[in-house]
Amino acid sequence: MKRLEFLLVLVLIGTTMAMAQDRGGQRQFNPEEMAKRQTAQFKTDLELNDTQAEKMEKVLLASYKEMGAMRQEMSGEEDRTKMREKMTEWRTNQQKEIKKILTDEQFLKYEKLMEERRANRRGGAGGGGGQ
């Protein structure tokens, strides 16, 4: 009986460690993966045609690569204001490029989606952040 309990504890520990490693792997920043995943989501949410989706993926990929370079450059950066300014500039540039691809109606949907995502990250309306 003790042996069975010991084996169950080992399996539980092993599973927990494997899940922690998986979660850590997901957090790694992969621009190609992010661009593909985000484009697929936008294709559905914004009803992009194939040409728009192709252009969107290129813009997102370039944008995410730029973000990755900025993150590395700013790692260890103490000046939060400077970091915020760079990220705001990055976001503005990304939106300009995306606006060129989308119709006016799609861009309005895009802006609404982005606002909802920002609200969800902050805890959202009535979401109460348990972070």
Side-chain angles (χ1 to χ4, degrees):
M1 192 65 162
K2 294 228 182 235
R3 217 174 186 172
L4 180 60
E5 288 174 9
F6 178 73
L7 285 174
L8 286 174
V9 169
L10 281 179
V11 168
L12 180 63
I13 290 171
T15 304
T16 303
M17 289 174 59
M19 288 174 61
Q21 287 176 353
D22 285 345
R23 220 180 1 253
Q26 289 174 356
R27 289 188 166 210
Q28 292 208 350
F29 183 76
N30 182 331
E32 290 83 7
E33 228 177 78
M34 282 182 63
K36 283 183 191 299
R37 187 173 47 243
Q38 192 72 302
T39 300
Q41 189 66 50
F42 284 146
K43 188 168 185 175
T44 302
D45 293 343
L46 303 176
E47 300 173 22
L48 302 180
N49 62 38
D50 291 340
T51 303
Q52 288 176 308
E54 188 179 312
K55 290 177 181 179
M56 180 70 85
E57 187 170 343
K58 288 179 183 177
V59 165
L60 291 174
L61 179 58
S63 182
Y64 293 152
K65 284 182 176 181
E66 182 182 344
M67 184 194 342
M70 280 186 349
R71 282 182 172 179
Q72 284 185 341
E73 177 186 314
M74 291 187 302
S75 67
E77 179 72 45
E78 295 296 322
D79 187 357
R80 295 276 183 208
T81 305
K82 184 179 177 182
M83 287 172 55
R84 193 170 291 119
E85 287 172 2
K86 282 186 176 186
M87 291 304 285
T88 300
E89 182 182 336
W90 170 82
R91 189 175 294 114
T92 302
N93 291 337
Q94 182 189 45
Q95 283 190 329
K96 283 179 187 175
E97 292 301 312
I98 288 173
K99 189 171 186 166
K100 292 176 187 177
I101 297 168
L102 303 177
T103 65
D104 291 341
E105 184 181 320
Q106 288 171 322
F107 191 72
L108 288 173
K109 280 184 183 179
Y110 166 80
E111 286 182 313
K112 186 178 177 183
L113 274 171
M114 294 298 98
E115 185 54 41
E116 288 172 1
R117 287 181 184 176
R118 281 191 288 274
N120 286 339
R121 276 195 301 255
R122 286 187 218 125
Q131 296 176 12

